[in-house]
Amino acid sequence: IIICGPPAGGKGTQCELIAQTYGVVHISTGDLLREETRKGTTLGKQAGTFMASGALVPDALMTQLVAARLKEDDVVAKGWLLDGFPRTRNQALNLQEMGILPSAVLVLEVPDEVVQNRIEGRRTDPATGKVYHLTFNPPPAGDAELLKRLEQRKDDTREAMVTRLATYNKNVTDILSFYT
């Protein structure tokens, strides 16, 4: 399954529900990239530069990362749900050339204004990777330790969001036409 939608469009939230319901492995390319960046790997260092500015990580780097994850035992056994990949027609073509075709492609349509408002309150727990929104999906009340460690991602700024939305809106039509 592939799920498409704008940044902060609810893909992660929907993916959690789909993964729980169908038992597939949720693969968030954003999470994979942030993990590589956190580890300080060569790929992470290369990707970090693009991510901080809101730009897409080059197709070759993304394809390498996703292809490796799709070969892992849990994914082979349970199936996959790709969140945030492919983001370009070339990435979709790369998947097809590797023999990787989705059974379904889901598209979340969210107005740009809603996405921009969501970004301002989004926070991530670096210990668990769980994403919260200070208004719409707040962390559990009374958990002071959790509140202290919540972080706003570097690419969750209005400036980066303008770039991310423009890139998404430019590429989504190509992705949808590739799979229809």
Side-chain angles (χ1 to χ4, degrees):
I1 303 167
I2 291 174
I3 189 162
C4 299
K11 294 182 304 292
T13 300
Q14 296 307 312
C15 285
E16 284 182 26
L17 297 170
I18 293 167
Q20 287 172 2
T21 301
Y22 297 101
V24 294
V25 177
H26 173 202
I27 302 171
S28 165
T29 54
D31 290 348
L32 291 175
L33 286 167
R34 284 184 288 278
E35 180 64 16
E36 292 295 313
T37 302
R38 187 189 65 72
K39 289 179 180 175
T41 66
T42 301
L43 176 62
K45 289 175 185 174
Q46 292 171 350
T49 303
F50 295 97
M51 293 165 55
S53 69
L56 287 181
V57 175
D59 292 343
L61 292 177
M62 286 307 308
T63 301
Q64 177 185 354
L65 183 65
V66 171
R69 181 67 179 105
L70 291 173
K71 292 177 184 174
E72 293 182 21
D73 293 341
D74 61 334
V75 176
V76 172
K78 296 178 181 180
W80 47 268
L81 170 59
L82 284 178
D83 169 359
F85 191 88
R87 289 193 184 197
T88 67
R89 184 175 184 82
N90 191 45
Q91 289 175 352
L93 183 60
N94 289 342
L95 281 180
Q96 182 180 17
E97 288 171 351
M98 291 186 296
I100 300 169
L101 298 170
S103 300
V105 177
L106 307 174
V107 181
L108 303 179
E109 295 180 7
V110 184
D112 289 357
E113 308 82 54
V114 172
V115 168
Q116 288 173 338
N117 288 332
R118 286 181 180 175
I119 273 306
E120 293 179 347
R122 186 161 76 171
R123 300 292 185 274
T124 303
D125 178 356
T128 65
K130 181 142 177 72
V131 178
Y132 298 96
H133 189 282
L134 298 178
T135 303
F136 306 121
N137 180 30
D143 191 340
E145 189 64 34
L146 171 61
L147 287 173
K148 279 191 229 177
R149 71 176 181 253
L150 290 180
E151 298 176 347
Q152 186 173 28
R153 293 179 358 199
K154 290 178 185 174
D155 58 345
D156 274 356
T157 64
R158 273 204 180 261
E159 296 78 23
M161 186 53 62
V162 168
T163 302
R164 293 171 69 196
L165 280 171
T167 302
Y168 170 77
N169 288 324
K170 178 182 144 206
N171 289 324
V172 70
T173 303
D174 287 342
I175 298 299
L176 298 178
S177 67
F178 186 85
Y179 288 113
T180 56

